[in-house]
Amino acid sequence: MSLVSGPGRGGITEGQLPSELRLYVDKHVTYIQSLDKRKDELEYWLTEHLRLSGLYWGLTALHLLGQPDALPRSEVLDFVISCLQDDGGFAAAPQHDSHMLYTVSGVQILAMLDALDEFDERVSGGREKVARFIANLQHPKTGTFAGDIWGETDTRFLYGALNALSLLGMTNLVDVDKAVEHVQACANSDGGYGTSPGAESHAGQVFTCVGALAIAGRLDLVDRDKLGGWLSERQLSNGGLNGRPEKLEDVCYSWWVVSSLAMIDRLHWISGSKLQEFILKCQDPDHGGISDRPGDMVDVFHTVFGIAGLSLTKYPGLVEVDPI
Amino acid sequence: MPKYAEDPAWSDVEPLPQNDGGPNPLAAIAYTEEYSEAMSYLRAVMASNDMSERVLDLTEDIINMNPAHYTVWLYRAKVLFNLNYDLRKEIDWLNDTALKHQKNYQIWQHRQTIINRLGSADGETAFIAKMFSKDPKNYHVWSYRQWLVRRFELWDEGEIEAVEGMIKEDVRNNSAWNHRWFLVFGRDSSAHKEQDVIERELEYAKKAIVLAPQNQSPWNYLRGVLRYAELPVSHVRDFALGFAPADSPDDVRSSYALDLLADVYEEQHQKEEAIKALDLLATKYDPIRARYWEYKKNLLEQPTAAA
């Protein structure tokens, strides 16, 4: 799935009354289907290093829109398997390097397509090989995870590792308690979490940390009221959410913030209808796709997170998404 | 226009084109061709584990076109170390590249690898300042700065002064506030627990609030310090009242002051007052979060909540 942006811009619905706003399901489906047919554009190739994640985002959006078969399953599987490297990790595209993020995307796609058994059939011992790749990236002393053999660590990788391992049913390969300890060390005094101990609270990192705790069964460690307070402060008067205090709103936080609120049972603390209005205003009603905010170019990343935000806030007609 | 194919320095390399199974559709734009050609040479050198100096030119070329391609960075670092290349020169080049590509984070990971190997933070603060002049909230740069402070023990090397300068420039810069917290409370020493440090930090936050009362960062900071020092919120009751006078609800200048006062009233068992403050927040000063304020009100109603 290509990460090319455009062709359209979100926000052409500007000037419509809130009651006239609606979700352009068919347009979004066609938009996602078209993404891989744009190989004559430079951006298609410049975003190759993200392709596998892009595919996951596109597929997730289609599932939420109730059209899981809109991309051919066998082609998707072939592509995912072609990204598998000898070390057991997935790369973003064939002949790239393995990386935690794409390994997670690979596993997520296999799970979404209910293809984990098939994967084991096609690649002997495939599941375990992948799980071992992930487990080897855990730092034994700190419990955190690196993204690749070079050792950059980030709570994103830790969440990804636990997520993929739990889909593979192999969290027993890693030290979950140590990982939980590390997440705790990333908690800040404002109630939020950052990329590493001491780093500024950021809604995306809150999602990864709370998600990791949820998978580990340790949500009891979260101060729900304090974190919920900080998360709900992310909503601005236009209904959109930002990722940090005093920053601009962005559709992608409709996922990071709202799913975090859902995991700690505080989803009702923000205005769901105002958020929906904001997301719907970011659509391109002609060519499909959703942008970060009205007036900007659409892309698949913001499309899936916009749709997921709508699903979480119970927008009618969408498949319900699991916040974790 | 092929660049590498006609360059004698590359004549011994057989480029490996992208294998995507179908006819190659790359033809539309000249720049695309350039990128595609460079990538096919990268694939070739990686396949033969070529660590010669020309690979630095090649990776530089690709990074200029597409700095987010993580494989290119990894291979470049490998080659640099293998060649024992002058890492100062690498940093000079990185400076220009980072300024050109503000949003990229692979650059910072690479920089960390290089500076770590160099073992010196000379010049780093000056460069960071340059980055911040473009975007004072750049998350990658702040994370890198924290790494630098820890790695080279820079806690008392002008960091507080730098961060004060940035808060002075923009009192709403939450990243700078976070860095201050990191410097004062994030280090492994007990100096920060001393009374005068707590007082100094409370005063610092208060001064910033006076400048812009409706600003989340210093209020969060103030609350953080109180919690850290295990002081009751009522410690700043009079200060907060200055921004949300209890007797004239129309003169509230800060919803954060009102929020804090609600906690003060709860702490001091003035339930009526607390409810009044929460109602004001729900109806007038922060209606988008009405459900949150209602929840807090409900907690007040439960007799166990105060325990």
Side-chain angles (χ1 to χ4, degrees):
Chain A
M1 182 65 50
S2 165
L3 268 280
V4 286
S5 52
R9 285 175 190 279
I12 302 172
T13 49
E14 204 67 59
Q16 280 187 345
L17 293 173
S19 57
E20 292 171 336
L21 290 169
R22 65 180 182 89
L23 181 66
Y24 297 90
V25 173
D26 295 346
K27 298 281 183 191
H28 295 318
V29 172
T30 327
Y31 166 72
I32 292 165
Q33 285 173 326
S34 76
L35 283 174
D36 249 20
K37 301 186 182 119
R38 291 166 59 179
K39 298 189 181 178
D40 57 339
E41 293 176 45
L42 174 65
E43 210 185 336
Y44 178 91
W45 300 100
L46 289 188
T47 53
E48 192 184 14
H49 60 279
L50 289 169
R51 186 140 305 138
L52 194 56
S53 294
L55 183 58
Y56 170 67
W57 295 327
L59 265 182
T60 308
L62 292 172
H63 272 74
L64 296 175
L65 291 166
Q67 308 230 7
D69 303 322
L71 286 180
R73 183 176 185 276
S74 67
E75 274 176 44
V76 170
L77 273 183
D78 287 348
F79 179 74
V80 171
I81 291 173
S82 75
C83 294
L84 182 68
Q85 306 297 304
D86 292 339
D87 57 12
F90 286 92
Q95 295 156 328
H96 285 227
D97 284 342
S98 295
H99 193 283
M100 175 74 84
L101 295 179
Y102 311 113
T103 305
V104 176
S105 295
V107 173
Q108 286 173 320
I109 294 171
L110 291 173
M112 190 161 31
L113 296 179
D114 198 13
L116 284 168
D117 288 334
E118 214 173 316
F119 176 59
D120 263 347
E121 277 161 33
R122 289 178 59 172
V123 181
S124 155
R127 256 194 270 205
E128 183 163 350
K129 224 171 135 188
V130 173
R132 295 221 174 267
F133 170 81
I134 296 171
N136 282 336
L137 288 171
Q138 186 175 35
H139 195 284
K141 260 199 245 148
T142 60
T144 185
F145 284 82
D148 52 47
I149 50 158
W150 292 79
E152 175 200 8
T153 66
D154 183 322
T155 43
R156 279 185 306 157
F157 308 148
L158 187 151
Y159 162 75
L162 293 191
N163 178 317
L165 287 172
S166 87
L167 289 173
L168 294 166
M170 296 192 192
T171 45
N172 58 315
L173 292 182
V174 295
D175 190 338
V176 175
D177 292 342
K178 269 261 189 283
V180 166
E181 246 173 65
H182 179 75
V183 171
Q184 284 293 89
C186 295
N188 288 320
S189 73
D190 56 17
Y193 297 81
T195 44
S196 55
E200 184 184 4
S201 294
H202 184 289
Q205 304 301 329
V206 169
F207 166 79
T208 64
C209 289
V210 176
L213 293 175
I215 293 168
R218 292 310 308 273
L219 280 176
D220 60 296
L221 295 172
V222 179
D223 183 339
R224 294 181 184 219
D225 285 358
K226 198 159 110 191
L227 174 61
W230 187 87
L231 284 168
S232 61
E233 267 177 354
R234 305 280 59 79
Q235 191 162 38
L236 306 176
S237 51
N238 63 12
L241 302 161
N242 64 16
R244 297 182 262 164
E246 300 294 336
K247 296 277 287 182
L248 282 178
E249 69 283 358
D250 183 321
V251 157
C252 69
Y253 296 112
S254 313
W255 172 249
W256 312 120
V257 172
V258 181
S259 60
S260 300
L261 283 168
M263 284 189 269
I264 59 169
D265 305 317
R266 301 289 183 274
L267 180 53
H268 55 288
W269 283 5
I270 58 161
S271 166
S273 57
K274 282 228 163 196
L275 175 62
Q276 290 183 349
E277 224 175 89
F278 172 75
I279 298 172
L280 293 174
K281 279 182 187 159
C282 295
Q283 298 178 99
D284 174 357
D286 299 324
H287 309 98
I290 297 176
S291 60
D292 57 354
R293 63 187 73 91
D296 289 347
M297 293 267 244
V298 302
D299 62 58
V300 67
F301 177 83
H302 290 93
T303 303
V304 65
F305 292 126
I307 293 170
L310 291 172
S311 161
L312 277 171
T313 52
K314 307 266 188 293
Y315 188 85
L318 290 176
V319 176
E320 233 179 274
V321 63
D322 179 343
I324 303 169
Chain B
M1 203 50 63
K3 181 170 165 185
Y4 294 92
E6 289 174 7
D7 185 338
W10 289 93
S11 58
D12 59 316
V13 176
E14 185 64 40
L16 286 176
Q18 173 94 2
N19 178 15
D20 63 352
N24 198 332
L26 293 181
I29 329 167
Y31 188 57
T32 313
E33 265 180 48
E34 228 177 87
Y35 180 70
S36 150
E37 192 207 11
M39 284 303 295
S40 66
Y41 276 83
L42 180 77
R43 279 186 285 269
V45 296
M46 284 178 68
S48 65
N49 217 21
D50 183 338
M51 299 269 176
S52 58
E53 195 152 348
R54 64 182 172 184
V55 176
L56 295 181
D57 296 333
L58 174 67
T59 49
E60 176 175 339
D61 192 22
I62 295 173
I63 286 167
N64 280 334
M65 289 187 265
N66 188 15
H69 197 305
Y70 60 98
T71 295
V72 183
W73 286 104
L74 298 185
Y75 196 66
R76 183 178 176 90
K78 231 192 236 179
V79 175
L80 285 169
F81 294 155
N82 208 277
L83 286 174
N84 252 327
Y85 190 77
D86 179 357
L87 298 180
R88 278 283 154 215
K89 263 166 74 185
E90 179 69 359
I91 291 293
D92 287 344
W93 171 73
L94 267 184
N95 287 354
D96 292 338
T97 312
L99 286 164
K100 262 187 264 168
H101 303 282
Q102 300 276 319
K103 285 268 182 185
N104 178 280
Y105 78 87
Q106 282 86 0
I107 290 179
W108 294 94
Q109 183 55 32
H110 186 72
R111 190 180 192 97
Q112 195 170 312
T113 310
I114 303 296
I115 290 290
N116 190 41
R117 171 78 70 124
L118 261 173
S120 155
D122 288 353
E124 288 305 276
T125 333
F127 177 67
I128 287 174
K130 222 178 196 176
M131 283 299 296
F132 283 151
S133 70
K134 304 230 171 188
D135 175 9
K137 298 179 183 177
N138 188 316
Y139 202 94
H140 312 311
V141 183
W142 282 108
S143 299
Y144 174 71
R145 187 177 196 140
Q146 288 196 353
W147 173 81
L148 212 60
V149 169
R150 280 199 190 103
R151 166 71 174 81
F152 297 101
E153 298 279 342
L154 303 179
W155 307 96
D156 299 313
E157 308 291 321
E159 283 293 295
I160 280 270
E161 293 78 3
V163 106
E164 273 176 18
M166 290 190 73
I167 293 177
K168 208 169 186 178
E169 226 160 80
D170 175 12
V171 74
R172 294 175 188 275
N173 185 341
N174 194 61
S175 308
W177 280 97
N178 182 71
H179 195 65
R180 186 182 180 95
W181 180 274
F182 167 77
L183 292 171
V184 179
F185 300 106
R187 59 198 290 186
D188 298 324
S189 93
S190 56
H192 52 277
K193 294 201 176 78
E194 283 164 24
Q195 195 52 38
D196 54 333
V197 172
I198 300 293
E199 279 309 318
R200 182 192 75 195
E201 293 309 300
L202 290 175
E203 282 314 304
Y204 186 78
K206 285 181 183 174
K207 267 196 197 140
I209 290 170
V210 172
L211 284 176
Q214 188 59 14
N215 176 13
Q216 275 167 62
S217 305
W219 285 104
N220 277 342
Y221 197 86
L222 189 71
R223 277 176 176 271
V225 178
L226 290 173
R227 210 162 23 231
Y228 187 90
E230 295 175 3
L231 289 166
V233 265
S234 48
H235 190 76
V236 293
R237 178 190 167 114
D238 292 345
F239 174 75
L241 275 172
F243 304 95
D247 42 4
S248 69
D250 287 339
D251 295 329
V252 172
R253 286 190 293 146
S254 167
S255 66
Y256 306 111
L258 204 52
D259 180 9
L260 188 133
L261 280 170
D263 289 347
V264 170
Y265 296 136
E266 186 192 340
E267 198 174 87
Q268 303 188 326
H269 305 292
Q270 292 175 278
K271 202 165 125 182
E272 297 293 302
E273 295 298 314
I275 289 177
K276 227 193 276 172
L278 292 170
D279 276 337
L280 267 178
L281 283 162
T283 56
K284 192 164 175 185
Y285 291 104
D286 191 17
I288 203 159
R289 295 205 294 158
R291 307 279 285 277
Y292 170 67
W293 304 117
E294 275 160 30
Y295 171 84
K296 290 196 78 162
K297 241 170 72 179
N298 284 337
L299 283 183
L300 284 175
E301 308 292 347
Q302 294 163 8
T304 49

